[in-house]
Amino acid sequence: MDYKSSLIPDGNPMENLEKQLLCPICLEVFTKPVVILPCQHNLCRKCASDIFQAANPFWTNRVGSVSMSGGRFRCPSCRHEVIMDRHGVYGLQRNLLVENIIDIYKQECSSRPLQKGSHPMCKEHEDEKINIYCLTCEMPTCSMCKVFGAHQACEVAPLQSVFQGQKTELSNCISMLVAGNDRVQTIITQLEDSCRVTKENSHQVKEELSQKFDVLYAILDEKKSELLQRITREQEEKLSFIEALIQQYQEQLDKSTKLVETAIQSLDEPGGAIFLMSAKQLIKSIVEASKGCQLGKTEQGFENMDYFTLDLEHIADALKAIDFGTDEEEEEFIEEEEDQEESTERKEEGKKFIYLHLFVRSFSHSTT
């Protein structure tokens, strides 16, 4: 970053070197000792200490007492996070190469004569250098302007003292801004962690909820298969009973049909003696066949299957009422389910008794 004043012309090797030797905090040539950060940027150790203390206000390192915990701050040049150990900035490595370059640069600058144009000149007094600062107008000016020019009534101060004061103020502002950025970055990191944890927790409860509903689906499918099998068994038993009755009646019908045919043939017999020889036995067989027509029958409503009807309205209401609640509510729901299961079992036992009674009555009629 170029912090050098635009008043210094470009193209001079020494000036270009000075730009590379400027500290990004104090905006001056590095003051020894110079420390190198893990990101390979350099800082004055004093400036590094200032931004480290600003970012870690509770970190202390007194003479003869070393803090047991480190801290962190961000490089002002690239924003790379620098993690310090318990030694603080004194644990950073010194950049001896940069320090040697600074010594050579200062020796070269001290041996060079002041070039014309290297110092800004006053616009009103072209031969006068700007060497004072007008505190009233807040602008640099020259001594002639104070004595004879526009700043005669103004309060002025030496340029160097104001220069150093404002540089210190700007450095402090940079340190505060860097520390503020670090705190903002810490908050961002915390919020990002909060987002991540929220997503993880949401995924976990979604998985748990899906598993619970899968269990309910499995229970419903199992119960559905069980009830359908019971209806099928009931159907098969009733159909078997009815088909047996049909078979009995069909046999009786075939027997009666043969007797009718035989009786008709006897009526066609012209001879009285031959007719009388078989008529009495035939009449007796017809009378017995008529008595045998009293076979078993099904009771009224025997084919009815309504007792397999389920009233699931209360269960549907309970399913609709499913919501995220406390453990106490879940226990109450479980107790209600257990009561409903006991009631259903009692109803099933009653249905079995009724059907058994109907079957016994039908069987007794068929045997009489």
Side-chain angles (χ1 to χ4, degrees):
M1 297 178 64
D2 187 6
Y3 296 96
K4 192 65 176 174
S5 172
S6 61
L7 295 174
I8 299 178
D10 295 333
N12 190 306
M14 294 300 293
E15 293 172 355
N16 292 334
L17 178 61
E18 182 179 357
K19 294 177 183 179
Q20 302 300 321
L21 297 177
L22 289 178
C23 174
I25 300 298
C26 63
L27 306 181
E28 295 182 354
V29 176
F30 290 115
T31 302
K32 297 192 294 184
V34 180
V35 294
I36 183 170
L37 304 180
C39 58
Q40 303 303 310
H41 289 110
N42 298 289
L43 293 175
C44 308
R45 188 157 69 185
K46 179 182 180 303
C47 296
S49 178
D50 291 341
I51 62 174
F52 177 71
Q53 291 288 348
N56 303 270
F58 299 105
W59 189 91
T60 57
N61 186 5
R62 299 182 297 274
V63 178
S65 175
V66 179
S67 175
M68 297 305 294
S69 61
R72 61 185 65 195
F73 68 94
R74 292 189 178 274
C75 172
S77 297
C78 66
R79 305 302 301 155
H80 176 78
E81 187 176 47
V82 181
I83 300 175
M84 312 297 298
D85 59 13
R86 60 190 180 89
H87 299 289
V89 295
Y90 291 93
L92 294 173
Q93 184 178 359
R94 289 179 62 176
N95 195 334
L96 299 179
L97 176 61
V98 173
E99 293 182 3
N100 292 334
I101 294 174
I102 292 172
D103 292 338
I104 297 173
Y105 168 77
K106 289 183 177 179
Q107 291 176 4
E108 181 66 20
C109 288
S110 62
S111 62
R112 293 174 61 198
L114 183 64
Q115 296 181 2
K116 185 178 180 180
S118 61
H119 193 93
M121 309 300 287
C122 179
K123 293 182 180 180
E124 298 294 331
H125 307 91
E126 296 180 355
D127 295 331
E128 292 292 329
K129 297 179 181 179
I130 294 178
N131 56 1
I132 60 175
Y133 186 84
C134 179
L135 299 175
T136 304
C137 301
E138 296 184 347
M139 62 178 295
T141 185
C142 71
S143 300
M144 296 298 292
C145 288
K146 171 61 179 172
V147 178
F148 303 105
H151 300 282
Q152 296 183 33
C154 297
E155 182 181 359
V156 297
L159 185 66
Q160 191 64 25
S161 63
V162 178
F163 167 72
Q164 293 295 337
Q166 290 197 1
K167 266 202 170 184
T168 301
E169 183 179 357
L170 181 58
S171 297
N172 293 335
C173 290
I174 293 174
S175 299
M176 288 189 297
L177 184 59
V178 169
N181 290 343
D182 287 341
R183 287 191 289 270
V184 171
Q185 185 62 45
T186 301
I187 294 174
I188 292 174
T189 302
Q190 293 174 349
L191 292 175
E192 290 175 347
D193 291 341
S194 180
C195 288
R196 176 182 54 80
V197 173
T198 300
K199 291 179 181 179
E200 291 176 354
N201 291 339
S202 298
H203 179 72
Q204 180 181 352
V205 296
K206 285 179 180 179
E207 288 292 329
E208 293 176 355
L209 183 63
S210 297
Q211 291 176 2
K212 291 182 178 180
F213 271 87
D214 289 341
V215 171
L216 290 178
Y217 299 151
I219 292 174
L220 288 175
D221 287 338
E222 182 179 0
K223 180 57 68 174
K224 175 183 176 182
S225 299
E226 177 188 341
L227 295 179
L228 289 176
Q229 290 175 3
R230 289 169 59 183
I231 294 174
T232 302
R233 288 196 300 268
E234 181 78 0
Q235 172 188 333
E236 291 175 351
E237 291 175 0
K238 286 192 174 185
L239 291 178
S240 177
F241 178 74
I242 294 173
E243 289 171 356
L245 290 179
I246 292 174
Q247 182 66 27
Q248 293 176 15
Y249 278 99
Q250 186 64 46
E251 292 175 356
Q252 181 65 33
L253 179 62
D254 293 340
K255 185 178 179 180
S256 298
T257 302
K258 290 179 180 180
L259 287 175
V260 170
E261 292 176 354
T262 303
I264 292 173
Q265 292 175 359
S266 296
L267 290 176
D268 294 336
E269 182 63 41
I274 297 175
F275 173 79
L276 291 175
M277 289 176 63
S278 60
K280 187 175 181 180
Q281 183 62 37
L282 186 59
I283 292 171
K284 182 179 179 181
S285 298
I286 292 174
V287 172
E288 290 179 355
S290 299
K291 294 180 180 179
C293 291
Q294 298 179 356
L295 298 175
K297 297 180 181 179
T298 58
E299 294 287 338
Q300 184 178 1
F302 178 79
E303 66 280 1
N304 192 358
M305 304 287 281
D306 291 343
Y307 49 85
F308 283 108
T309 302
L310 293 178
D311 182 10
L312 300 178
E313 184 176 354
H314 62 289
I315 297 179
D317 293 338
L319 291 175
K320 293 177 182 178
I322 290 178
D323 200 354
F324 301 107
T326 61
D327 294 338
E328 294 180 357
E329 294 177 349
E330 293 181 357
E331 291 177 358
E332 292 177 358
F333 180 74
I334 292 173
E335 291 178 356
E336 291 178 358
E337 283 190 335
E338 291 177 350
D339 294 340
Q340 292 172 3
E341 289 178 357
E342 293 178 358
S343 177
T344 303
E345 290 178 356
R346 289 194 296 268
K347 289 181 180 180
E348 293 298 331
E349 293 294 333
K351 291 177 181 178
K352 291 180 180 179
F353 178 78
I354 293 172
Y355 174 68
L356 181 61
H357 178 69
L358 292 174
F359 181 77
V360 170
R361 290 183 60 186
S362 299
F363 181 75
S364 63
H365 282 297
S366 65
T367 55
T368 56

